């Protein structure tokens, strides 16, 4: 079944077809800027990109997926193309320096706040750990091919070469302040992705043009490629002086260098590019201009995929409101990675999503039902009958839903209905092992996209944590009571655990526990 996907550039649903039908789909995702822990709004975008990648593989495509780890050049005022304000890595250094002075560095952080490389390494490792828990497949790929999660600081020579090509093609110039700028007048399609006109940008409408260095530019809408700045925390030698690259330049160099063919009919082009909707302008607009001007291709990415914003309990995330959550914050509440993953992706990617703790609980309960059925099917227990079972029959509807612009809510509905039909009555259980295996294969096939069945265990606290020790001792005492057929004592222990805010689940491999999300 072909995939129908909304292309931001075309502003409509289109049929997906790769540039090279015999090669892998080339897919670039704008990843995190590693100056702090990524929050759940960031992860909504990353997880939707993962769902798209999984859907492509579900439908039979091979995928080569790259996600960058930005460690330089992303400025605090990134709503303007020049990227005003301070480099976010420098901001992280200042924040950590103040924390170090006050003795309030986060647990496990032992680094020099003046060393941006150490800061990036720490937060990049934290991101990879969170991403692995939530099932981002690009992280698994990078275990064997680290280049699939590139760092801009390791791509500066390629960025300099790209600037030189742009200058040679008269798409870029050295401004009056010695910085290198891209000339938007040289690229007539500038603004097509975002719907911004050059005329509007020239007038500075909507705060889209930096108010600084306008005298140095030919056009106020021209954007930065290289900034000479010998005082910058991170800087490199270049033909235009010691300095640093523009944020947009980084992704053009890495996407084309890692994914796009250098010659032939599709030179300089990739299949897919994704990010959050806040990346559309200026970041992706500028990427398109740089990449196409350098390659001469009619497209940079064949399809553009953008995820809309996440709010929490109906409000924008804010630390002052107490509704600003990282992945670690949510998992510390006792939620499983599976429940968090499903809560972040079940609302259609082109709709704003409202994250709620009640929704998180609902996702947890739904996944628990799926996992119980998975265990029953693995044990050979299945609803008897002739012809395809409920899960096998659901595969067609599930596939149709995900092929329709990743309509996960509909796909989840199809799966949940099949799971409800498959619920076993212990008095009427079939021992048809072949039927059970076929049904389980169908469930597992659908989970290739959802990615939750093997992530439905809460992340336990450290072994020396008093609560963890108490819980484990209660579970051991309950197991002993059950072995002695002292059911009243076993039930009393379960109640004690519930009073501690802990839910337990008995399975073929023993008893597991999770903290109940408040």
């Amino acid at each position: 079944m072909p995939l129908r996907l909304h292309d931001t550039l075309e502003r409509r649903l289109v049929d997906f077809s790769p540039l090279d039908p015999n090669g892998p789909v080339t897919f670039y995702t704008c990843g995190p800027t590693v100056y702090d822990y990524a929050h759940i709004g960031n992860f909504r975008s990353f997880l939707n990109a993962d769902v798209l990648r999984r859907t492509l593989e579900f439908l039979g495509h091979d995928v080569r997926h790259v996600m960058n780890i930005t460690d330089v050049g992303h400025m605090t005022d990134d709503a303007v193309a020049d990227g005003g304000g301070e480099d976010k890595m420098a901001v992280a250094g200042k924040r950590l320096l103040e924390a170090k002075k006050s003795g309030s560095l986060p647990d496990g952080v032992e680094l020099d706040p003046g060393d941006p490389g150490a800061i990036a390494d720490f937060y990049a490792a934290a991101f990879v750990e969170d991403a692995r828990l939530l099932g981002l497949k690009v992280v698994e790929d990078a275990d064997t091919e680290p280049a699939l999660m590139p760092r801009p600081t390791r791509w500066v020579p390629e960025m300099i070469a790209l600037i030189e090509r742009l200058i040679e093609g008269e798409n870029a110039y050295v401004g009056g302040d010695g910085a290198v700028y891209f000339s938007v007048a040289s690229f007539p399609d500038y603004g097509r992705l975002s719907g911004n006109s050059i005329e509007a940008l020239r007038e500075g409408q909507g705060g889209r043009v930096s108010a600084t260095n306008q005298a140095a530019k030919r056009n106020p809408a021209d954007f930065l490629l290289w900034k000479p700045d010998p005082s910058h925390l991170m800087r490199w030698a270049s033909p235009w002086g010691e300095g640093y690259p523009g944020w947009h330049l980084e992704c053009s160099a890495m996407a084309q260098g890692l994914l796009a063919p250098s010659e032939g009919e599709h030179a300089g082009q990739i299949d897919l590019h994704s990010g959050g909707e806040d990346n559309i302008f200026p970041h992706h607009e500028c990427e398109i201009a740089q990449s196409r001007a350098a390659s001469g291709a009619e497209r940079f990415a064949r399809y553009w995929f953008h995820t809309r914003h996440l709010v929490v309990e109906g409000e924008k995330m804010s630390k002052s409101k107490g509704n600003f959550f990282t992945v670690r914050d949510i998992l510390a509440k006792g939620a499983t990675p599976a429940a968090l993953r499903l809560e972040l992706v079940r609302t259609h990617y082109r709709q704003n999503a409202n994250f709620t703790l009640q929704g998180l609980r609902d996702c947890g309960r739904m996944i628990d039902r799926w996992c119980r059925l998975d265990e029953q099917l693995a044990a050979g227990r299945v609803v008897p009958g002739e012809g395809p079972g409920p899960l096998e029959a659901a595969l067609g509807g599930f596939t149709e839903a995900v092929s329709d612009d990743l309509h996960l809510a509909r796909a989840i509905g199809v799966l949940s209905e099949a799971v409800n039909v498959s619920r076993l009555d212990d008095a009427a259980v079939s021992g048809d092992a072949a039927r059970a295996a076929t049904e389980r294969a169908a469930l597992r096939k659908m989970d290739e996209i959802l990615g939750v069945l093997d992530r439905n265990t809460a992340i336990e606290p450290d072994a020396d944590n008093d609560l963890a020790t108490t819980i484990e001792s209660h579970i051991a005492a309950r197991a002993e009571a059950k072995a002695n057929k002292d059911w009243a004592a076993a039930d009393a222990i379960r109640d004690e655990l519930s009073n501690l805010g802990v839910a337990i689940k008995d399975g073929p491999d023993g008893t597991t526990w999770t903290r109940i999300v408040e």
Side-chain angles (χ1 to χ4, degrees):
M1 185 174 293
L3 173 64
R4 294 273 288 169
L5 195 66
H6 187 271
D7 177 19
T8 306
L9 187 66
E10 296 292 334
R11 294 174 174 76
R12 62 185 176 90
L13 286 173
V14 296
D15 289 330
F16 175 84
S17 61
L19 289 163
D20 181 0
N22 299 314
V25 172
T26 50
F27 185 7
Y28 187 90
T29 294
C30 279
T33 299
V34 284
Y35 73 110
D36 206 341
Y37 295 107
H39 57 68
I40 58 174
N42 301 138
F43 266 99
R44 183 181 188 230
S45 175
F46 305 146
L47 284 167
N48 275 314
D50 182 69
V51 168
L52 173 54
R53 181 250 176 91
R54 287 168 174 263
T55 299
L56 288 165
E57 292 175 337
F58 180 91
L59 295 174
H61 297 279
D62 291 327
V63 180
R64 180 171 173 79
H65 191 188
V66 170
M67 173 187 279
N68 67 295
I69 301 288
T70 296
D71 57 359
V72 65
H74 188 176
M75 313 303 278
T76 52
D77 187 5
D78 56 11
V80 297
D82 277 357
E86 296 182 85
D87 191 304
K88 290 187 175 183
M89 297 306 299
V91 171
K94 292 178 181 179
R95 184 185 72 244
L96 291 173
L97 181 59
E98 290 301 315
K100 186 174 184 179
K101 288 178 180 178
S102 64
S104 58
L105 275 174
D107 291 341
V109 180
E110 296 180 1
L111 49 83
D112 178 2
D115 182 352
I119 294 170
D121 287 345
F122 175 80
Y123 285 117
F127 171 78
V128 167
E129 181 180 348
D130 293 347
R132 193 185 304 280
L133 286 173
L134 295 183
L136 266 67
K137 295 192 74 174
V138 68
V139 173
E140 299 172 10
D141 295 343
D143 287 340
T144 55
E145 191 177 349
L148 296 177
M149 296 188 76
R151 304 269 194 96
T153 51
R154 300 167 190 174
W155 280 77
V156 174
E158 289 81 0
M159 289 185 236
I160 290 173
L162 179 54
I163 295 172
E164 289 175 329
R165 288 202 301 276
L166 293 171
I167 292 175
E168 183 180 351
E170 299 184 351
N171 297 108
Y173 62 92
V174 179
D177 57 355
V180 184
Y181 296 98
F182 184 90
S183 171
V184 296
S186 72
F187 187 72
D189 276 352
Y190 189 77
R192 181 182 167 195
L193 180 73
S194 60
N196 288 309
S197 69
I198 293 179
E199 290 72 21
L201 292 169
R202 183 182 294 115
E203 295 168 6
Q205 294 179 2
R208 300 288 190 159
V209 175
S210 173
T212 61
N213 299 329
Q214 294 308 306
K217 299 180 182 181
R218 296 175 183 173
N219 184 317
D222 293 347
F223 59 87
L224 183 71
L225 297 176
W226 186 271
K227 176 71 171 178
D229 185 355
S231 67
H232 196 262
L233 184 62
M234 292 173 283
R235 55 191 183 274
W236 294 264
S238 82
W240 315 284
E242 192 174 61
Y244 61 95
W247 171 41
H248 320 301
L249 188 75
E250 302 166 0
C251 289
S252 289
M254 293 184 291
Q256 290 191 318
L258 288 167
L259 294 174
S262 58
E263 57 185 26
E265 180 184 0
H266 304 305
Q269 299 177 65
I270 64 174
D271 286 304
L272 276 164
H273 198 313
S274 75
E277 69 173 338
D278 54 330
N279 289 144
I280 295 173
F281 189 90
H283 187 46
H284 290 164
E285 194 76 78
C286 295
E287 273 192 68
I288 290 171
Q290 297 162 161
S291 303
R292 285 185 53 197
S295 69
E298 292 186 3
R299 297 288 284 256
F300 167 38
R302 190 178 178 109
Y303 307 97
W304 287 89
F305 177 89
H306 291 100
T307 293
R308 296 203 68 185
H309 291 302
L310 179 80
V311 297
V312 175
E313 304 288 354
E315 296 187 297
K316 183 177 180 180
M317 276 196 296
S318 168
K319 290 182 180 179
S320 64
K321 293 179 180 176
N323 69 347
F324 184 96
F325 297 124
T326 65
V327 168
R328 292 159 188 240
D329 294 332
I330 297 299
L331 297 185
K333 290 178 177 291
T336 66
L340 178 54
R341 178 183 171 97
L342 193 64
E343 171 67 359
L344 289 175
V345 300
R346 64 174 175 163
T347 299
H348 194 267
Y349 74 92
R350 287 196 290 118
Q351 297 176 349
N352 288 333
N354 183 27
F355 177 92
T356 68
L357 293 180
Q358 181 59 52
L360 191 65
R361 287 191 286 268
D362 293 343
C363 284
R365 285 192 283 266
M366 182 160 47
I367 296 167
D368 283 344
R369 290 194 295 272
W370 300 347
C371 287
R372 283 196 293 272
L373 179 58
D374 183 59
E375 292 170 358
Q376 292 169 342
L377 293 171
R381 301 173 62 209
V382 67
V383 173
E386 299 296 327
L391 291 165
E392 185 182 5
L395 259 177
F398 184 93
T399 303
E400 182 180 347
V402 296
S403 299
D404 181 15
D405 197 29
L406 310 187
H407 206 305
L408 276 197
R410 196 164 79 228
I412 290 168
V414 169
L415 171 57
S416 292
E417 183 177 352
V419 169
N420 289 338
V421 173
S422 301
R423 293 177 65 177
L424 292 171
D425 178 349
D426 287 339
V429 171
S430 167
D432 188 338
R435 184 179 178 84
T438 300
E439 284 289 88
R440 187 172 189 238
L443 176 61
R444 285 278 165 174
K445 180 67 176 176
M446 289 181 270
D447 189 58
E448 289 177 9
I449 290 176
L450 300 175
V452 297
L453 290 179
D454 295 327
R455 294 180 176 83
N456 197 35
T457 302
I459 307 305
E460 296 183 14
D462 294 336
D464 60 352
N465 183 280
D466 290 341
L467 177 61
T469 301
T470 299
I471 293 169
E472 294 297 343
S473 65
H474 275 57
I475 288 175
R478 178 172 174 269
E480 182 177 354
K482 290 175 66 178
N484 294 330
K485 302 186 183 304
D486 188 348
W487 309 118
D491 289 344
I493 293 171
R494 178 187 285 274
D495 291 342
E496 287 181 34
L497 288 168
S498 180
N499 290 335
L500 289 171
V502 174
I504 59 175
K505 181 170 68 174
D506 296 321
D509 298 322
T511 301
T512 58
W513 61 272
T514 61
R515 288 171 58 198
I516 302 170
V517 180
E518 298 176 356

